[in-house]
């Protein structure tokens, strides 16, 4: 899968394309990871905001997020590929989801045809609840609960793939 050309930035082994989102701690971009022998894959690249990279507590929190998320393996949870640093900028490379966030979908539906059908809404909520139940119930190798709690479940953080 080849990423589209446009405004590009080289960032370590990543060719960074458009911004997908921004939060209080980081930006997320679509990027192309390139490796040896022509290896390529499209990823979502989350980068700690530059002004936070000087604060050890933000770095610790960012890295902790990546470590904990990397322990999760569920069909409805984005997979973490790598946590690293290029120069002074910290990043998390993760699975790219080709789709839209629920906030955007609901906004579009409201303008076009009204709320989504109830069976669609319930289906999405069931998948979300399944993923949250998995994450909240996750245990370490010794069987002790990890105590994970997702504290930012919002329509803009729930993605629906282009295939539903």
């Amino acid at each position: 899968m080849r990423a589209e050309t446009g405004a590009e930035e080289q960032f370590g082994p990543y060719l960074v394309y458009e911004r997908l989102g921004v939060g209080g701690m980081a930006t997320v971009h679509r990027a192309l990871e390139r490796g040896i022998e022509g290896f390529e894959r499209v990823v979502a690249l989350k980068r700690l905001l530059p002004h936070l990279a000087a604060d050890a507590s933000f770095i610790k929190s960012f890295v902790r997020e990546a470590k904990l998320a990397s322990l999760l393996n569920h069909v409805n949870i984005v997979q973490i590929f790598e946590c690293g640093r290029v120069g002074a900028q910290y990043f998390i490379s993760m699975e790219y989801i080709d789709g839209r966030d629920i906030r955007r979908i609901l906004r579009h539906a409201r303008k076009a045809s009204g709320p989504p059908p109830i069976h669609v809404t319930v289906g999405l909520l069931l998948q979300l609840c399944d993923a949250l139940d998995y994450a909240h119930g996750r245990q370490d190798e010794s069987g002790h609960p990890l105590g994970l709690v997702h504290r930012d479940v919002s329509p803009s953080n729930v993605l629906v793939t282009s295939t539903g």
Side-chain angles (χ1 to χ4, degrees):
M1 177 191 312
R2 192 100 190 142
E4 302 162 15
T5 58
E8 305 167 353
E9 170 198 352
Q10 192 65 47
F11 179 77
Y14 302 97
L15 190 55
V16 180
Y17 296 100
E18 81 272 7
R19 187 174 75 188
L20 302 173
V22 63
M25 195 169 164
T27 59
V28 180
H29 289 81
R30 182 174 60 90
L32 181 67
E33 177 184 10
R34 294 189 284 195
I36 63 169
E37 300 291 328
F39 171 85
E40 291 183 340
R41 74 173 157 191
V42 176
V43 300
L45 193 65
K46 184 174 189 173
R47 297 190 286 183
L48 186 64
L49 292 170
H51 69 279
L52 301 177
D55 187 326
S57 66
F58 279 104
I59 294 168
K60 184 178 179 180
S61 177
F62 189 76
V63 171
R64 178 174 158 72
E65 173 189 332
K67 284 180 179 180
L68 291 172
S70 73
L71 300 173
L72 304 176
N73 185 14
H74 187 278
V75 67
N76 293 322
I77 298 175
V78 169
Q79 293 298 290
I80 301 297
F81 298 138
E82 178 183 12
C83 179
R85 189 176 77 188
V86 172
Q89 193 161 25
Y90 290 81
F91 71 90
I92 300 170
S93 166
M94 60 188 105
E95 177 183 10
Y96 172 75
I97 303 299
D98 182 19
R100 301 282 184 250
D101 66 62
I102 294 273
R103 180 189 62 181
R104 193 170 178 186
I105 291 168
L106 290 175
R107 229 183 246 156
H108 178 74
R110 211 170 312 154
K111 290 177 184 174
S113 61
I118 192 69
H119 71 278
V120 171
T121 302
V122 170
L124 291 172
L125 284 172
L126 286 171
Q127 291 179 65
L128 175 61
C129 289
D130 187 48
L132 289 169
D133 180 59
Y134 167 81
H136 294 170
R138 184 74 165 86
Q139 300 174 345
D140 65 16
E141 306 81 37
S142 305
H144 298 100
L146 291 176
L148 299 179
V149 176
H150 193 304
R151 297 182 303 189
D152 195 15
V153 178
S154 65
S156 60
N157 284 339
V158 177
L159 302 174
V160 178
T161 65
S162 56
T163 59

